[in-house]
Every structure is written in structure tokens, then in C-alpha cells.
């Protein structure tokens, strides 16, 4: 992302976190109705600090280690690859790592990891895609799907969910291709193996192809391989994971592409399947967006005072002139969950710093109606 795009997203994430913090402290139910009448004995809940370098996993892990005795939880990060790289450190420290948006089922498995995340399961994601392909309302009905995945837990688990659920409910037939050259043909380069897989997919005759693997760094290579194989015509439908086309980076990453370039053709005929913030759909009726737009210069001043390093990043009319960035509502809810967990732990007289495994479950203890929808950590 460009520096300005990164700053824009950072401002929105910080503003969303600040709103959640203030709402927890004042028991403001404007976004989360369950905060009404929340136990008053938790007067001082959380102290929020911001790490600008946390997109570097080594730096993030170092900060975890240096501040382990002072932290009750680590919130972030936006990048799933960075979050996974930091997870072993969080587990070793028994420090809950709350990821405000991830579809990485392996990362958030309660049996093996200190990380927890929203959404907490890929099952509705898989079912939603199967239903969308079956309706024929937006695109012609698709009966056959080729799924290209890697042999990582999340990718293979998602492939299994989609294949079983789509077949049972919608009669979709899907074929899975494992794109993991090291596990099958270790002598091939990733490009050679992907070319081999895509050639087999073309020969199968199926025109609906789900890439459950590529990200924004590898999508250009995939597009050129598809172009070489003459697989970018309008009869093909390509389904991409959100990591391939980050919504907040579409303009800066993909905007410079020339018309009819391989990547342009792939994206023009592509479908990105993702969870979205409710305010994108409901707009002015959304409780989170209503609260956002009501903030004025006094809120901005409180943010400036709390985070001097960001003081020049916020104008007085920031909340009136900027929409929240993608996934801001998920971050809001993640911080509310941490606050509820902290309140529960304090009420039960639990020493949070010495019982973070318990605190991890405290965070998951409460369901509530949040900015991103209904938050249920267990279902």
C-alpha cells in the first residue's frame, strides 16, 4: 500500500478502537446495547497503546516480550500472515492475541493457540459462497467448481466445508486441487507447479475456479499464467479470497493496471467473497456509523492527547469527512470483547497478568450485538 493509504487505514483503526474504549468506560450502549447497566465495579477497564511497527512480525513479537507483564491482551494485526508469525510468541507468553478479522481457522483453534479472532469460523463463509453460486440471481447458475487450495489447515478445512456443504444442500460438484508443490513435486518451482495445476483445471472443462490460496503478492503471477493458458475469457468465473484483493488497497495496487492486462482481465471477471462491515450496506442506518458521524473536534482532541504520535494525523472534522476503513467494525467489537473479559476478570478478582489463559476464555465468555453484527465466540 502507499504510505497515504496505510495512514488512512491506521487512522480509522485507531479511531474505532478509541470509540470502543470510551464506550466501554462510559457504558455507552449506542452500538452495543448490552453495555447498558454493565457492572459499575469495573471503573477502570483498559489502557490502550498503539504499535505502529506491528506489521513487522519480528517487531511485534519483540514488543510482546518486552511488555508481557503489563499487557492483558494484544489486539491485531490486520495482516493474517503477520498474525500467524506472531502467534507462537503469544502462545509462549500465554498472552491472548485478539485478531479483529481472520478466516484462519488454524490460527484461532482454541485447542492449540493463544489467538482468537472474529469471525471465529469459516463455515458460514463456505455456505454463503455455495448458496450464492446456486441461486443464479446475480450470475448464471454454476453447477461445477474447481477449488485450488494449499495443504494448510485453514485452506484444506475450508475446501472440505465447501465441498461437503455445497454438495449436500445445493448439488454443486467440486474438485479439489492441492497447490503445494513442496508436498507433491519438490523439484518444481511454485510457478511451474501452478502452471501444471491450472493446465489440468483447463483440461477438466470446468469454468468456475475458486482460488483458496493466492494473495495480493502472487495474484499477478497467477494472472499471467492464466493468460498464457488462454483462460481469461468471459466464460470463466474466478473466485478469490479477500487476501487477494484487499478492499482498501484496490485503487493503489490494482488501479495502475492497463486495460486488458492479464490482471485487469482476471479481476474484471472475478468475484471476491468476504465478510463486510454492516455500515457498507446499511449506511446511515447503521448504529456504528451513526456514532462515528456524531463525533466532533472534542473527540479528536482526546485522541490527540492520548496518542501524541498521531496528533497531526487527525483534523478537527475527521469523523465528518472520513468513512471508517474496511473491517473497522470488527476491530471495535474485538476491543469490546477484551473490555468485557477484563471486567469479568476484575469482578472475579482474577489477577489477569498471572492468569492469561483464563483471561483468554473470559474474552470469549460474552455474546453481544456489536458493530460487525452478532458476536458469538462459540457458534
Amino acid at each position: 500500500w502507499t504510505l497515504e493509504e496505510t495512514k488512512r487505514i491506521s487512522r480509522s483503526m485507531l479511531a474505532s478502537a478509541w470509540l470502543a474504549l470510551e464506550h466501554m468506560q462510559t457504558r455507552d450502549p449506542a452500538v452495543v446495547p448490552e453495555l447498558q447497566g454493565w457492572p459499575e465495579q469495573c471503573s477502570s477497564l483498559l489502557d490502550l497503546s498503539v504499535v505502529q511497527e506491528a506489521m513487522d512480525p519480528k517487531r511485534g513479537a519483540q514488543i510482546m516480550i518486552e511488555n508481557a507483564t503489563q499487557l492483558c491482551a494484544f489486539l491485531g494485526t490486520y495482516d493474517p500472515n503477520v498474525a500467524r508469525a506472531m502467534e507462537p510468541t503469544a502462545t509462549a507468553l500465554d498472552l491472548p492475541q485478539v485478531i479483529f478479522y481472520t478466516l484462519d481457522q488454524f490460527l484461532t483453534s482454541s485447542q492449540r493457540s493463544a489467538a482468537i479472532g472474529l469471525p471465529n469460523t469459516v463455515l458460514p463463509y463456505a455456505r454463503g459462497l455455495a448458496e450464492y453460486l446456486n441461486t443464479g440471481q446475480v450470475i448464471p447458475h454454476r453447477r461445477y467448481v474447481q477449488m485450488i487450495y494449499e495443504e494448510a489447515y485453514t485452506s484444506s478445512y475450508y475446501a472440505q466445508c465447501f465441498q461437503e456443504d455445497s454438495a449436500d444442500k445445493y448439488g454443486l460438484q467440486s474438485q479439489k486441487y492441492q497447490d503445494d508443490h513442496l508436498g507433491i513435486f519438490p523439484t518444481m518451482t511454485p510457478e511451474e507447479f501452478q502452471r501444471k495445476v491450472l493446465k489440468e483445471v483447463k483440461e477438466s472443462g470446468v469454468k468456475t475456479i475458486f482460488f483458496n490460496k493466492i494473495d495480493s503478492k502472487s495474484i499477478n503471477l497467477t494472472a499471467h499464467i492464466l493468460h498464457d493458458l488462454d483462460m481469461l475469457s468471459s466464460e470463466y468465473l474466478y473466485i478469490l479470497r479477500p487476501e487477494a484483493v484487499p478492499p482498501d488497497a484496490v485503487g493503489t495496487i490494482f488501479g495502475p493496471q492497463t486495460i486488458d492486462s492479464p490482471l485487469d482481465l482476471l479481476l474484471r471477471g472475478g468475484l471476491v467473497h468476504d465478510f463486510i462491515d454492516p455500515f457498507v450496506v446499511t449506511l446511515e442506518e447503521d448504529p456504528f456509523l451513526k456514532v462515528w458521524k456524531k463525533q466532533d473536534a472534542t473527540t479528536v482532541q482526546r485522541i490527540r492527547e492520548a496518542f501524541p504520535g498521531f496528533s497531526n494525523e487527525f483534523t478537527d472534522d475527521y469523523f465528518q469527512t472520513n468513512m471508517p476503513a474496511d473491517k473497522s467494525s470488527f476491530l471495535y467489537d474485538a476491543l469490546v470483547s477484551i473490555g468485557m473479559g477484563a471486567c469479568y476478570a476484575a469482578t472475579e478478582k482474577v489477577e489477569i497478568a498471572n492468569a492469561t489463559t483464563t483471561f483468554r476464555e473470559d474474552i470469549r465468555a460474552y455474546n453481544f450485538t456489536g458493530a460487525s453484527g452478532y458476536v458469538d465466540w462459540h457458534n
Side-chain angles (χ1 to χ4, degrees):
W1 297 346
T2 64
L3 178 60
E4 185 51 42
E5 187 72 8
T6 302
K7 286 184 176 182
R8 186 186 73 82
I9 295 170
S10 297
R11 284 192 293 266
S12 177
M13 295 303 173
L14 177 55
S16 301
W18 182 259
L19 290 179
L21 189 70
E22 288 197 332
H23 289 175
M24 284 298 304
Q25 291 173 336
T26 61
R27 308 297 190 272
D28 187 335
V31 178
V32 179
E34 288 84 351
L35 288 180
Q36 182 78 43
W38 196 255
E40 292 297 330
Q41 54 265 48
C42 303
S43 57
S44 179
L45 286 173
L46 299 173
D47 181 25
L48 182 67
S49 60
V50 177
V51 180
Q52 292 174 274
E53 302 94 338
M55 292 307 284
D56 175 0
K58 291 184 180 179
R59 176 61 177 150
Q62 179 185 352
I63 291 168
M64 275 189 183
I65 295 170
E66 292 174 351
N67 300 280
T69 59
Q70 299 174 336
L71 294 173
C72 70
F74 195 90
L75 176 61
T77 143
Y78 188 88
D79 188 315
N81 296 318
V82 177
R84 181 178 277 228
M86 292 170 62
E87 181 272 330
T89 303
T91 300
L93 295 172
D94 241 359
L95 181 69
Q97 179 186 4
V98 183
I99 305 161
F100 58 87
Y101 180 78
T102 182
L103 293 173
D104 194 332
Q105 199 81 3
F106 182 66
L107 186 63
T108 59
S109 170
S110 60
Q111 284 73 34
R112 73 167 297 278
S113 169
I116 53 180
L118 291 170
N120 70 325
T121 175
V122 300
L123 189 55
Y125 180 84
R127 289 176 175 172
L129 179 59
E131 182 177 357
Y132 182 84
L133 293 175
N134 181 69
T135 60
Q137 295 178 355
V138 182
I139 57 175
H141 173 75
R142 298 275 173 160
R143 179 76 184 276
Y144 302 96
V145 181
Q146 299 285 21
M147 177 172 290
I148 301 173
Y149 73 105
E150 61 183 348
E151 193 53 37
Y153 177 80
T154 295
S155 187
S156 59
Y157 174 75
Y158 179 87
Q160 178 183 345
C161 287
F162 177 81
Q163 191 172 45
E164 293 176 356
D165 205 65
S166 61
D168 291 343
K169 288 189 175 183
Y170 305 111
L172 294 175
Q173 298 182 30
S174 57
Q175 173 69 43
K176 296 185 293 184
Y177 281 86
Q178 181 180 333
D179 188 1
D180 185 0
H181 73 287
L182 292 177
I184 305 177
F185 291 97
T187 58
M188 284 187 174
T189 66
E191 179 179 354
E192 290 172 337
F193 187 75
Q194 187 174 97
R195 192 175 294 273
K196 174 183 180 299
V197 168
L198 291 175
K199 186 177 180 181
E200 291 177 2
V201 170
K202 180 181 181 180
E203 291 171 350
S204 73
V206 175
K207 308 296 185 182
T208 306
I209 301 168
F210 183 15
F211 286 105
N212 194 42
K213 176 180 185 293
I214 58 175
D215 56 24
S216 59
K217 296 177 182 178
S218 59
I219 189 173
N220 199 38
L221 171 62
T222 301
H224 278 84
I225 295 175
L226 291 171
H227 180 266
D228 292 345
L229 294 173
D230 194 24
M231 295 176 68
L232 289 176
S233 61
S234 59
E235 59 187 333
Y236 284 94
L237 173 66
Y238 292 102
I239 306 166
L240 307 171
R241 285 283 295 272
E243 296 94 321
V245 191
D248 281 321
V250 170
T252 53
I253 294 179
F254 305 107
Q257 293 294 319
T258 58
I259 295 176
D260 291 337
S261 69
L263 185 54
D264 176 55
L265 291 171
L266 171 59
L267 295 179
R268 198 190 308 166
L271 165 69
V272 179
H273 186 54
D274 193 11
F275 289 98
I276 60 173
D277 299 88
F279 62 75
V280 175
V281 178
T282 57
L283 295 176
E284 301 302 328
E285 298 302 315
D286 181 77
F288 176 71
L289 189 58
K290 283 183 178 179
V291 168
W292 179 280
K293 292 293 185 181
K294 285 181 180 179
Q295 305 307 307
D296 56 22
T298 59
T299 304
V300 172
Q301 185 58 33
R302 291 196 296 272
I303 295 175
R304 289 171 179 160
E305 292 172 356
F307 306 102
F310 286 83
S311 59
N312 295 327
E313 298 292 331
F314 290 91
T315 59
D316 287 348
D317 61 351
Y318 170 77
F319 288 98
Q320 284 73 48
T321 57
N322 292 271
M323 283 287 288
D326 181 52
K327 304 300 184 293
S328 292
S329 65
F330 290 88
L331 183 144
Y332 178 98
D333 288 346
L335 190 54
V336 169
S337 288
I338 295 174
M340 287 183 168
C343 186
Y344 178 77
T347 303
E348 295 297 310
K349 297 181 175 61
V350 175
E351 292 293 333
I352 294 177
N354 297 321
T356 48
T357 300
T358 301
F359 182 47
R360 181 178 179 279
E361 294 308 311
D362 291 341
I363 295 172
R364 293 163 52 92
Y366 292 98
N367 302 336
F368 59 90
T369 302
S372 66
Y374 188 69
V375 178
D376 185 342
W377 288 101
H378 299 286
N379 295 300

